Amino acid sequence: LTLAQKARDKEGEAEAQAGLGEANLALGKTEDALSWLKKAQGSYQALGDEDQGQVLTARIEKITEKIKQ
């Protein structure tokens, strides 16, 4: 993430944020995971990548539903 930020690589930054979200989810850190995934979602939307933004929206909704169960 830091390398992408230093290089001003916005797509790399979004990918890193999504990866951190998935890693936190695998570690059972659901709130941290959602935070990273929401950051990634915003980054992709800022880039105009609606497809990836929608993928993350669906992922966030799925995780949120599991929390409620």
Side-chain angles (χ1 to χ4, degrees), residues 7-8 12 15 21 24-25 27 32-34 40 45-46 51 59 61:
R8 298 179 195 254
E15 290 171 1
N24 276 279
L25 187 61
L27 293 171
D32 290 338
L34 286 171
Q45 288 175 341
D51 291 338
R59 184 76 172 124
E61 288 173 357

Side-chain angles (χ1 to χ4, degrees), residues 6-69:
K6 285 183 180 179
R8 298 179 195 254
D9 177 3
K10 296 297 182 185
E11 186 172 356
E13 189 174 334
E15 290 171 1
Q17 291 167 335
L20 286 166
E22 293 298 334
N24 276 279
L25 187 61
L27 293 171
K29 298 179 179 182
T30 308
E31 293 302 320
D32 290 338
L34 286 171
S35 177
W36 282 112
L37 292 171
K38 288 176 183 177
K39 288 177 185 178
Q41 180 187 37
S43 294
Y44 279 117
Q45 288 175 341
L47 288 167
D49 189 339
E50 293 299 320
D51 291 338
Q52 195 61 32
Q54 290 176 353
V55 167
L56 286 168
T57 297
R59 184 76 172 124
I60 290 165
E61 288 173 357
K62 185 175 181 180
I63 294 166
T64 303
E65 286 176 18
K66 280 189 170 186
I67 292 171
K68 292 179 182 178
Q69 293 178 355

